[in-house]
Amino acid sequence: MGSTRLKAGTAQKMALNMISTGVMVRAGRTFGNLMTDMRASNIKLRKRASVIVTEATGLPLDQAVELLDRSGGEMKTAIAAALLKR
């Protein structure tokens, strides 16, 4: 049961999410299942970027934050630097 309009909206949202995810993957803006081309323009997004670098590299959070700062906030650069260092 439920609203037909609600179901249509949900289906539309799922379709758009699949399309946008495919575009991001093809454009090279992901690393595995992590979005790496995000602009960390506020505190919340900077924290999220640190967590993404941590997940991608296996570094502790404090080291990921430091590496991200040294990389000018660029997640791709921070991830590449950490992985190339190994």
Side-chain angles (χ1 to χ4, degrees), residues 1-55:
M1 301 301 278
S3 167
T4 304
R5 190 173 29 198
L6 181 61
K7 289 177 185 175
T10 301
Q12 185 178 32
K13 183 177 186 323
M14 289 174 63
L16 289 173
N17 282 344
M18 287 189 293
I19 292 168
S20 64
T21 299
V23 168
M24 294 296 272
V25 168
R26 284 192 137 202
R29 295 175 179 240
T30 60
F31 181 80
N33 65 340
L34 303 169
M35 184 173 63
T36 57
D37 253 3
M38 176 184 69
R39 283 200 185 125
S41 57
N42 59 38
I43 293 170
K44 178 183 173 184
L45 293 177
R46 281 191 288 277
K47 287 180 183 177
R48 185 175 295 161
S50 301
V51 170
I52 289 172
V53 171
T54 296
E55 289 181 18

Side-chain angles (χ1 to χ4, degrees), residues 51-61 63-64 82-83 86:
V51 170
I52 289 172
V53 171
T54 296
E55 289 181 18
T57 62
L59 290 173
L61 186 60
Q63 289 180 10
L83 295 179
R86 293 181 185 182

Side-chain angles (χ1 to χ4, degrees), residues 58-70:
L59 290 173
L61 186 60
D62 59 333
Q63 289 180 10
V65 169
E66 181 184 331
L67 185 58
L68 199 54
D69 287 341
R70 286 189 287 146

